[in-house]
């Protein structure tokens, strides 16, 4: 299933400042090839409020306007604000506004691209 293929991957390309780490930003880009067409992958991964449908760490997702609150399996919560959404281009960006993680100024983009033989690259 598409959700199992995506769930194991780090799907976030973010700019992160880690307290106590050297000044500046840290950029990370992760990707995974998914054996499904981009439209099917986007239908699942492109739902900003649907992270709980495919990410095993997320127990629940609730969205109010451009803000989603994710409840993790351990009960902790992460609040994220959608900063850009482009359904036609199959990508969206968001920023973490509240979380228990040791990061600040976290910004990320999830993108689905077409690859060879009707497969997808999720970045």
């Amino acid at each position: 299933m598409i959700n199992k293929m995506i769930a194991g991957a780090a799907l976030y390309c973010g700019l992160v400042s880690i307290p106590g780490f050297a000044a500046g930003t840290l950029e990370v880009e992760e990707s995974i090839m998914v054996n499904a067409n981009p439209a099917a992958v986007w239908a699942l991964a492109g739902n900003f409020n649907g992270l709980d449908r495919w990410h095993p760490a997320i127990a629940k997702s609730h969205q109010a306007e451009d803000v989603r609150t994710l409840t993790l399996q351990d009960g902790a919560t992460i609040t994220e604000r959608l900063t850009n959404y482009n359904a036609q281009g199959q990508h969206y960006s968001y920023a973490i506004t509240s979380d228990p993680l040791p990061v600040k100024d976290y910004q990320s983009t999830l993108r689905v691209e077409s690859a060879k033989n009707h497969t997808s690259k999720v970045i």
Side-chain angles (χ1 to χ4, degrees), residues 10-29:
L11 297 177
Y12 303 105
C13 168
L15 299 176
V16 182
S17 296
I18 302 173
F21 194 69
T25 59
L26 173 67
E27 288 189 47
V28 177
E29 179 171 303

Side-chain angles (χ1 to χ4, degrees), residues 57-60 69-78 100:
I58 309 302
K60 183 171 66 170
T69 301
L70 303 172
T71 303
L72 305 179
Q73 296 294 348
D74 67 2
T77 60
I78 299 173

Side-chain angles (χ1 to χ4, degrees), residues 62-116:
H62 172 75
Q63 184 174 352
E65 297 187 19
D66 63 348
V67 174
R68 72 178 172 193
T69 301
L70 303 172
T71 303
L72 305 179
Q73 296 294 348
D74 67 2
T77 60
I78 299 173
T79 304
E80 300 171 334
R81 182 177 46 83
L82 185 64
T83 58
N84 184 354
Y85 187 88
N86 184 322
Q88 186 174 356
Q90 296 184 316
H91 61 86
Y92 68 79
S93 299
Y94 63 93
I96 294 177
T97 58
S98 173
D99 67 280
L101 306 173
V103 298
K104 70 177 195 172
D105 302 324
Y106 182 96
Q107 300 173 38
S108 185
T109 298
L110 182 140
R111 185 170 67 248
V112 177
E113 296 180 352
S114 181
K116 295 180 182 178

Side-chain angles (χ1 to χ4, degrees), residues 44-61:
L44 181 64
N47 178 357
F48 183 65
N49 192 39
L51 199 57
D52 58 333
R53 291 182 52 212
W54 59 268
H55 197 296
I58 309 302
K60 183 171 66 170
S61 179

